[in-house]
Amino acid sequence: MDIDVITLFPELFRSPLAVSIVGRAQGKGLVAVRAHDLRQWADDARGTVDDTPFGGGGGMVLMPEPLKRGVEAVKGDHGDGKVILLAPDGERLTQQIANELSLEKHLILICGHYRGVDERFRARYVDREVSIGDYVLTGGELPALVLVDALVRLIPGVLGNFESAMEDSFQEGMLDCPWYTRPQVFEGEAVPQVLVSGNHAQIRKWRRQQALERTRTRRPDMV
Ligand code: ADE
């Protein structure tokens, strides 16, 4: 999968994408994530990409032309891609949306900033708008990183069998069960007996019951 990110702050993407599972996935050639500085597509030498809103009001709005040039440039370099705008008024990110987007070959993520993004760019060039939750961040960079992380781990070959993404919280419409590791007794509390019984059918059943119970109490809206 190819992911191009268009942003005012490409440096924000460097270390989060270089380490851990996303870093390894890039190393294995399963995904390539490139962050591009929007200012390179500005009209003037100063790199102006935003302006005050028509009609007044505080903040700045990202202008449509630099964004359009950016989208066309990365499409030209890496084939047609699906354009996703990160914005607080987009559809709320869910595991289902991550599953859908993980099947795309090329994504172009646009990080909004300041007051927002000119509506004409949104209407003409954006295929899908995604929010990571009902709160407002200073820009779309952290949401883009959240989306990249959620997508990359779903790409076949990125996680080993042991870490199968299909067993995660939300993937089956349920939260995950509790997990335990060594030591077997911590501050006087032993791990549940069934987990050291060696009875794998019983362990599967226990985990399912625990997942269901956890979902019922923590997220009744999901049941
Ligand atoms: N930009 C600012 N806040 C955001 C949010 N919650 N989701 C996506 N993009 C954003």
Side-chain angles (χ1 to χ4, degrees):
M1 177 189 267
D2 280 293
I3 304 177
D4 286 288
V5 185
I6 299 180
T7 167
L8 284 168
F9 302 108
E11 63 274 22
L12 265 176
F13 289 82
R14 255 167 235 135
S15 69
L17 297 176
V19 298
S20 188
I21 289 170
V22 179
R24 283 208 301 278
Q26 294 209 79
K28 286 198 239 169
L30 296 169
V31 63
V33 190
R34 294 171 289 265
H36 308 272
D37 189 347
L38 174 61
R39 293 192 194 280
Q40 71 191 283
W41 293 296
D43 264 327
D44 59 6
R46 287 180 51 232
T48 307
V49 292
D50 58 355
D51 209 337
T52 52
F54 279 115
M60 301 290 272
V61 178
L62 289 180
M63 301 188 298
E65 286 112 328
L67 287 167
K68 170 190 166 176
R69 283 194 285 271
V71 166
E72 286 175 345
V74 297
K75 279 192 176 178
D77 286 345
H78 297 102
D80 229 7
K82 192 164 230 173
V83 180
I84 314 287
L85 172 71
L86 284 307
D89 54 350
E91 58 184 320
R92 184 127 36 107
L93 181 60
T94 58
Q95 191 62 47
Q96 173 61 30
I97 293 175
N99 291 346
E100 284 168 31
L101 293 178
S102 74
L103 302 174
E104 297 287 337
K105 282 169 69 89
H106 184 204
L107 293 175
I108 301 166
L109 308 185
I110 312 284
C111 304
H113 244 270
Y114 305 128
R115 178 105 237 181
V117 173
D118 189 284
E119 190 63 25
R120 295 161 297 178
F121 172 79
R122 291 175 77 152
R124 286 174 172 74
Y125 289 91
V126 174
D127 297 306
R128 200 155 181 179
E129 303 188 341
V130 172
S131 161
I132 62 161
D134 289 346
Y135 42 84
V136 180
L137 300 168
T138 53
E141 281 73 18
L142 294 176
L145 284 167
V146 167
L147 182 59
V148 167
D149 194 285
L151 296 182
V152 167
R153 58 193 298 290
L154 296 172
I155 297 171
V158 168
L159 297 184
N161 279 344
F162 178 70
E163 305 163 286
S164 171
M166 290 306 121
E167 291 170 11
D168 290 336
S169 280
F170 302 109
Q171 205 55 271
E172 294 185 69
M174 269 201 289
L175 299 183
D176 207 355
C177 63
W179 294 86
Y180 297 87
T181 186
R182 272 179 278 281
Q184 198 168 331
V185 179
F186 171 66
E187 295 190 346
E189 181 182 348
V191 307
Q193 186 55 36
V194 62
L195 297 178
V196 291
S197 68
N199 184 335
H200 292 287
Q202 281 299 321
I203 292 172
R204 261 197 308 280
K205 190 168 158 214
W206 180 86
R207 285 184 170 154
R208 214 176 159 73
Q209 282 168 346
Q210 291 285 318
L212 201 58
E213 188 49 31
R214 190 161 270 212
T215 310
R216 247 194 229 113
T217 52
R218 296 187 183 192
R219 289 294 303 274
D221 57 299
M222 286 173 71
V223 179

